[in-house]
Amino acid sequence: MASEFTMRVWRGDISGGEFKDYRVEAQEGMVVLDVIHTIQATQAPDLAVRWNCKAGKCGSCSAEINGKPRLMCMTRMNLFEPGETITISPIQTFPLLRDLVTDVSFNYEKAKSIPALKLKAKEADGTRRMYQDDVDRVQEFHKCIECFLCQDVCHVIRDHEDNKPEFAGPRSFVRLASLEMHPLDEEDRREFLKSDAGLGYCNITKCCTEVCPEGIHITDNAIIPLKERVVDAYYDPVVWLMNKLTGK
Amino acid sequence: MANDKYETHEYDVIVIGAGGAGLRAAIEASAAGVKTALICKSLLGKAHTVMAEGGIAAALRNVYQEDNWKVHFRDTMRGGKMLNNWRMAQLHAQEAPDRVLELEEWGALFDRTKDGRILQRDFGGHRYARLAHVGDRTGLEMIRTLQQHAVHKGIDVYMECNIQRLLKDGDRVCGAFGYWRESGKFVTFKSKAIVLATGGVGKAWKFTSNSWEYTGDGTTLAADVGADLIDMEMIQFHPTGMVWPNSVRGILVTEGVRGDGGTLRNSEGERFMFNYITDYFRAETAETEEEADAWYEDKTNNRRTPDLLPRDEVARAINAEVKAGRGSPHGGVLLDIASRRSAEYIARRLPSMHHQFKELADVDITKEPMEVGPTCHYIMGGVRVEADTAATTVPGLYAAGEVAAGLHGANRLGGNSLSDLLVFGRRAGLYAAQYAQNLEGHPSPDADQIEQYAQELLAPFNNDGGENPYTVHMALQDCMQNLVGIIRTESELKKAQTEIASLKERLAKVTVEGHRQYNPGWNLALDLQSLLTTAEATTMGALERKESRGGHTREDHPGPDPDKYGKINLVLRRKDGELSLSEEPLPEMPDDLKELFEESK
Ligand SMILES: Cc1cc2nc3c(=O)[nH]c(=O)nc-3n(C[C@H](O)[C@H](O)[C@H](O)COP(=O)(O)OP(=O)(O)OC[C@H]3O[C@@H](n4cnc5c(N)ncnc54)[C@H](O)[C@@H]3O)c2cc1C
Ligand code: SF4
Ligand code: SF4
Ligand code: FES
C-alpha cells in the first residue's frame, strides 16, 4: 500500500538556500520523519534534521509541515493525498542553522533566568505530603516535551524579533506556572513575570495552545492564572497570598 | 590558549552524556566544588532518559510496608540470574529511596498515594509494587527535574557536541576530543577526571526502542583507552515493542501496561505465559488464571501473574509462540488491558501509550488489544566499574548508567535503570571530583595525538571508496537482528563475526558528501566505528558463553551452566588494537547476603 509523494524540503543555511523536491514512496503507517530519513538514506545523505525518540516524547523533530508547526514523528503520511506535494520547512522563529535544524538556544537562555523552586519546610515527621488533587494541575505542565512549537507560533516573537529580549514565551510561562502552582513552593515570581518575562505582551490569541502536541492548555491553565496573579498582586497582596497558599 | 590549534576548554571533571546518569554526576561533582562541564550529543533534555516510561524502582515502602532494601536486592540478583556484581546491587537497593526523595526536593511531582506520599506500581520481577512513577512518562519528569536543577546550579553545558576520542597522559585520562554538530569544527576538553554516561548500543539492531544516539560510543571510547568491558553478550530484548505498522516497529510499549493489569494472549486467545513458568520462578508465580486475576486485587494472598515474569522470560515466550504459528497478524502477540480496566483508568495511568497507539497505529487501547513483540532495548554489559566508586580500570575514568556494567547481571528488571542512574551517577560524580581534587598539576594532552585524531575523523571526506554510511549501517542492523538476536547459536554467531569483519572493511571505504556543518551522513560514518566495535564485542561474548542465562540464550546450549559460566564474567580488553577475551571469577558475595537466597528456597 505504498503511495508516491513529492516532498518539498528546505535545503540551505544562513547564507541562503531553496526548496528542493524529492520524490519518495511512503509505506503504510509511515510518518513524515520516516520519509525524511528515507530521503537521507537514498538521495541526500547530508540532509540535516533533529530527532531522537520517534514517538512524540522528546520534542526534537519540530518543523513546519505545509506551514503548520508540528512534530514530524507524529505526523502520519496518510494525512495527505497520494501524489500531493508536501512542504517541510524549519521552524521560523529561530535562526536557521542548516536545512531543518534551527538554533533554539533562545529557549535555553530563558530557562536559565527563571527563579528556581523554593520549597517550604518538611512536615514534622520529616516527610513531604502532597495530594493527587493538588499535583494534577502541575503535572499537566510537566508534560511539556520542550518542542518549542508554541514559541515558534507565538506572534509576539515570530513577527517581532526585537521583542525577544523582553518576552520569555509560552513555554516559559508553562514552566513558571508549574513553579508558581507547585503545592510546596514559596518563591515570589510576580515581579519577574511582569518585568522580565514580559507576560503583558501576551494578548491571549491561543495560537500556542493550538499547536501544543502534549495538549497542554497553555493559555487557559497557565497564562491566564499567571496574569491574574500579577494583577492581584498589584491590587491586593492578601488575595495573592491566599492564592499561593491554596495553590490556586 | 594560544598554542592549541583547536578550540580548547579546561575543567577538573567533564561528564560525557546528559541523561539521568550524566546529569546526576555533574550535579554531584559541581556540588563538591570542582569545575565541571556536561557534554552531550543532542540538545539538553533529549537524552534517552526522557523516553523512560514506567517508573523508578526504590523500596520506599509507601504501598507495601513489607518491602525493604533486602527484598529489592534479592529481586535484582535473581532477575539478573546471579551474574550481578552483588555490591552494586546492594548499594543500589540501599540508596535508591534517598535518591528518589531527593528528586522530589528538586521539584519532581510523582503520582500520589491517598495519604499524600509517592505512589508505587507493580513491574516485572519486583516482589512488591515498587516503582515511583508519573503516569507513563517518568523519564520526562526525571530528566527535566535534573536538567533544571543543573541549570540553576550554573553547570556549563556543551550541547550537540560529539566526543570521539579520549586523550591520555601516560596511563591516566587527561581529556576528550570531538566535534560540534552545528559547525563540524573540532574541540578539545582538557580534564583531570572524566565520567562516561553515554548510554547504550541498541542502534546496532534493526528493531529497537533506542534512538540514533545509542551507538555504543562510551563502551568504545573506554575500550580504546584500555578499560575493561564485561558482560557484553547480555542484551535485553524488551518483550513488548510495537510490531505494526512496520515503520514504528520496535517502539516501546511500557511494562506498566502489564503492571497495571494488561495480559498477553496468543492468536488462539490463550494466556500462554502460564506455559512458560520456569522452575526458578515457580514458587512465586500464580499457576492458574483465577489466582493471577485475584492477585490484581489482593497481592498479599495471591501469587503474581506470569505476565510479569522478568523480561528475558517473557521475550523468549513471545518469540516461541510466534515461531509456533500462534502469533498475531503482524507477527507479535496480543496485549490486552481493555478487558480488565476502564477507559478512564487506562487514559489516566497510561496516557502516552494511549496517544502513541492512536496516532501511530490507529489502535484505541481502551477498546482493543495491542500487537506487541520483542525489541532490542538495553545492554546489561558495558564498562567494568568498581562498585563503590564507579571507577573504571583506567585512572581518572569513571562510568555510570547504561554504559556501565555489573548491577543488572544477565538481565535488568524494569525500573532498575532509572534508579541505577541516580545512585551510581551520584557516586561517579563524587569520586571523580575527589580524584580531580587530589591530582596535582594540569592535564596535558599530546598535540600530535590530537592532530592524528583530527585526521582520522576527516577521513570519510577524503575517501573515494564510494560506500554509503546508511547502507553499511542497515547491513549491520540486519546482521545483528538475524544472527545475534534473542536466540543464538554457534554457527550463526560465527557467521556474524565474518560479516562484521567485512563491514569493517566497507567502513574504511565509506565516503561522505557535502561539508562538515550539521552533516548527518558524516556523523553516522563516525558512529559506525563504535557500532561495529560494540557489535564485535557482543558477538565475541555470545560465542564464548556456552550456556543460556538472562539476556543470552543459546539454542545449542539451552540450560544454564552454574558450575562454569555461572561463576564468571567474560572480560574484553583491547590488546594491540584487537579485542581479546578472558574469563574472570565473579566477586564473592558475603555470607550474610547469601542467606537471603537460601531462606527463600
Ligand atoms: C522507551 C524506553 C523506555 C524506558 N523505560 C524505562 C523505565 O520505565 N524505567 C527504567 O528504569 N528504565 C527505562 N528505560 C531504560 C532507561 O531509560 C535508560 O537505560 C536510561 O535512561 C539510560 O540513561 P543514561 O543516563 O545512562 O543515558 P542516556 O539517558 O541515554 O543519555 C546518554 C547521553 O550521552 C550522550 N552521548 C552519547 N554518546 C555521546 C558522545 N559520543 N559524545 C557526547 N555525548 C554523547 C547523549 O547525547 C545523552 O545525553 C527505558 C528505555 C527506553 C528506550
Ligand atoms: S496566547 Fe499569548 S503566548 Fe500564546 S501565542 Fe498568543 S500571544 Fe503568544
Ligand atoms: S508547552 Fe507544548 S508546545 Fe510548548 S514546548 Fe511544551 S510541549 Fe511544546
Ligand atoms: S523524535 Fe522525539 S518528538 Fe519527534
Side-chain angles (χ1 to χ4, degrees), chain B residues 463-474:
Chain B
N463 277 343
D464 52 9
E467 280 282 1
N468 176 336
Y470 297 91
T471 316
V472 176
H473 186 204
M474 281 186 253

Side-chain angles (χ1 to χ4, degrees), chain B residues 190-349:
Chain B
K190 298 182 180 179
S191 181
K192 293 180 181 167
I194 299 177
V195 178
L196 282 176
T198 51
V201 306
K203 268 294 164 191
W205 280 262
K206 187 167 175 187
F207 301 125
T208 174
S209 64
N210 294 173
S211 84
W212 73 271
E213 292 201 310
Y214 267 25
T215 49
D217 298 9
T219 23
T220 305
L221 290 169
D224 287 350
V225 290
D228 288 359
L229 309 180
I230 57 168
D231 302 339
M232 288 298 289
E233 67 280 15
M234 294 301 175
I235 303 285
Q236 177 166 83
F237 287 83
H238 194 292
T240 62
M242 292 177 80
V243 297
W244 186 89
N246 235 332
S247 54
V248 297
R249 185 153 178 177
I251 292 181
L252 195 75
V253 179
T254 174
E255 190 166 314
V257 175
R258 282 171 287 140
D260 287 356
T263 48
L264 293 162
R265 290 177 194 275
N266 61 23
S267 59
E268 291 163 12
E270 184 191 12
R271 283 178 64 179
F272 59 87
M273 278 312 300
F274 288 96
N275 307 330
Y276 293 91
I277 305 170
T278 47
D279 287 341
Y280 200 72
F281 293 107
R282 200 172 300 283
E284 58 211 57
T285 310
E287 273 163 71
T288 61
E289 291 192 25
E290 291 69 42
E291 185 180 0
D293 286 342
W295 172 82
Y296 287 107
E297 310 313 324
D298 172 5
K299 287 174 176 143
T300 317
N301 297 309
N302 296 288
R303 289 172 299 174
R304 61 181 26 238
T305 172
D307 292 292
L308 283 173
L309 282 169
R311 290 175 175 174
D312 53 330
E313 311 278 345
V314 184
R316 271 192 301 270
I318 295 177
N319 198 59
E321 286 296 302
V322 176
K323 261 201 173 147
R326 291 188 293 270
S328 64
H330 301 95
V333 294
L334 299 170
L335 172 59
D336 166 36
I337 185 164
S339 42
R340 187 187 311 275
R341 303 292 186 202
S342 70
E344 186 272 328
Y345 178 92
I346 297 169
R348 179 166 50 82
R349 302 279 303 168

Side-chain angles (χ1 to χ4, degrees), chain B residues 496-511:
Chain B
Q497 283 191 317
T498 318
E499 286 194 21
I500 292 168
S502 85
L503 287 169
K504 276 192 185 169
E505 286 168 20
R506 285 173 67 183
L507 174 60
K509 297 189 199 126
V510 159
T511 311

Side-chain angles (χ1 to χ4, degrees), chain B residues 435-561:
Chain B
Y435 173 92
Q437 278 162 337
N438 293 330
L439 200 68
E440 304 270 317
H442 286 276
S444 49
D446 172 358
D448 293 340
Q449 185 75 77
I450 291 178
E451 194 47 38
Q452 184 198 325
Y453 291 151
Q455 294 315 316
E456 286 171 15
L457 299 184
L458 290 174
F461 286 107
N462 308 324
N463 277 343
D464 52 9
E467 280 282 1
N468 176 336
Y470 297 91
T471 316
V472 176
H473 186 204
M474 281 186 253
L476 173 66
Q477 290 182 313
D478 281 331
C479 164
M480 296 306 281
Q481 188 73 33
N482 298 330
L483 305 174
V484 197
I486 305 185
I487 313 287
R488 303 161 175 179
T489 189
E490 182 173 305
S491 57
E492 292 186 346
L493 291 168
K494 286 196 163 145
K495 198 167 157 215
Q497 283 191 317
T498 318
E499 286 194 21
I500 292 168
S502 85
L503 287 169
K504 276 192 185 169
E505 286 168 20
R506 285 173 67 183
L507 174 60
K509 297 189 199 126
V510 159
T511 311
V512 299
E513 288 173 21
H515 50 72
R516 284 160 68 176
Q517 190 194 354
Y518 223 109
N519 185 339
W522 177 44
N523 302 167
L524 177 61
L526 299 178
D527 290 344
L528 279 170
Q529 193 78 52
S530 41
L531 279 165
L532 281 165
T533 303
T534 320
E536 186 184 357
T538 295
T539 311
M540 271 177 93
L543 197 56
E544 179 57 35
R545 187 172 281 278
K546 296 180 184 62
E547 65 157 356
S548 294
R549 180 180 299 273
H552 171 68
T553 305
R554 285 282 296 260
E555 201 168 23
D556 47 351
H557 299 279
D561 178 349

Side-chain angles (χ1 to χ4, degrees), chain A residues 195-216:
Chain A
S195 311
D196 302 82
L199 188 62
Y201 282 89
C202 163
N203 56 346
I204 321 191
T205 58
K206 299 204 180 184
C207 312
C208 50
T209 305
E210 275 165 32
V211 298
C212 177
E214 285 294 307
I216 300 169

Side-chain angles (χ1 to χ4, degrees), chain A residues 52 57 98 128 142 146, chain B residues 46 105 141 211 356 517:
Chain A
N52 281 62
K57 294 185 168 67
R98 184 179 179 190
R128 295 270 183 210
H142 282 203
E146 300 204 322
Chain B
K46 311 296 183 192
E105 288 306 297
E141 189 73 13
S211 84
Q356 174 177 318
Q517 190 194 354

